């Protein structure tokens, strides 16, 4: 029964999961557009610009950096450190600001809402079962006799 409860709670949280995915994609897409239009047009290899040459590649790179936390190039060097050293500290400020916003702000709110919806779905099932038990006259009479 606990597995069923967990599955029902997860299904109850799918709508929240869909909207939270949208809320994660939106700032990542905006930052990837900024990086594509500013750094991606520069034709230099080895300084991080090659990871922002196209919008899909920029989106993937920013997603890796902000959401997954794997922000390194093929040689293991941090992409945004290379970009900020080569093209200016504004990119480091953008990266740090987005990291704080995503990890401390957005992810915590999303987890809190998801957990609240899962608990609400579980509580709804518990209330329904309780209501059915109270309507069951045989069960109610047996419990009252004890």
């Amino acid at each position: 029964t606990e597995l069923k409860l967990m599955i029902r709670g997860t299904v109850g949280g799918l709508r929240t999961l869909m909207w939270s995915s949208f809320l994660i994609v939106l700032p990542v897409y905006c930052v990837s557009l900024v990086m594509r239009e500013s750094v991606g047009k520069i034709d230099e290899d080895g300084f991080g610009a090659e990871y922002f040459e196209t919008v899909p590649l920029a989106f993937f790179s920013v997603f890796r950096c902000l959401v997954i936390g794997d922000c390194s190039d093929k040689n293991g060097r941090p992409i945004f450190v290379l970009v900020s050293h080569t093209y200016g500290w504004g990119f480091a400020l953008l990266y740090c600001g987005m990291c704080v916003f995503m990890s401390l702000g957005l992810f915590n709110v999303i987890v809190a809402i998801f957990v609240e919806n899962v608990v609400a779905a579980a509580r709804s099932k518990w209330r329904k079962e309780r209501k059915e038990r109270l309507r069951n006259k045989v069960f109610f009479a047996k419990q009252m006799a004890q």
Side-chain angles (χ1 to χ4, degrees):
T1 60
E2 290 179 9
L3 179 62
K4 287 181 183 179
L5 183 65
M6 289 171 52
I7 291 172
R8 286 188 181 135
T10 304
V11 170
L14 283 178
R15 181 174 166 206
T16 303
L17 192 61
M18 181 201 62
W19 283 110
S20 63
S21 298
F22 175 75
L23 283 176
I24 290 171
V25 166
L26 192 63
V28 169
Y29 182 71
C30 292
V31 172
S32 65
L33 287 179
V34 168
M35 295 303 292
R36 164 64 188 108
E37 291 301 314
S38 57
V39 176
K41 293 182 177 182
I42 300 170
D43 194 23
E44 293 179 354
D45 284 339
F47 298 109
E50 64 269 16
Y51 294 98
F52 305 104
E53 289 176 346
T54 63
V55 173
L57 185 59
F59 181 84
F60 180 67
S61 299
V62 172
F63 182 82
R64 279 182 49 214
C65 289
L66 293 178
V67 177
I68 297 175
D70 176 30
C71 193
S72 58
D73 66 357
K74 60 186 173 190
N75 296 324
R77 300 174 299 176
I79 294 173
F80 272 94
V81 171
L82 291 172
V83 169
S84 64
H85 279 281
T86 308
Y87 308 111
W89 60 270
F91 295 107
L93 190 63
L94 173 69
Y95 176 68
C96 290
M98 286 305 297
C99 281
V100 168
F101 171 73
M102 295 291 283
S103 62
L104 297 179
L106 192 58
F107 290 154
N108 286 333
V109 169
I110 288 170
V111 168
I113 291 172
F114 185 76
V115 167
E116 182 182 344
N117 284 345
V118 169
V119 169
R123 193 178 309 129
S124 171
K125 181 188 180 302
W126 178 76
R127 284 184 185 149
K128 183 178 176 183
E129 288 175 352
R130 182 176 169 209
K131 194 175 192 180
E132 288 175 9
R133 281 195 314 256
L134 289 174
R135 286 187 178 168
N136 187 345
K137 293 183 192 270
V138 175
F139 178 77
F140 186 71
K142 188 187 282 185
Q143 291 297 324
M144 293 304 289
Q146 292 179 354

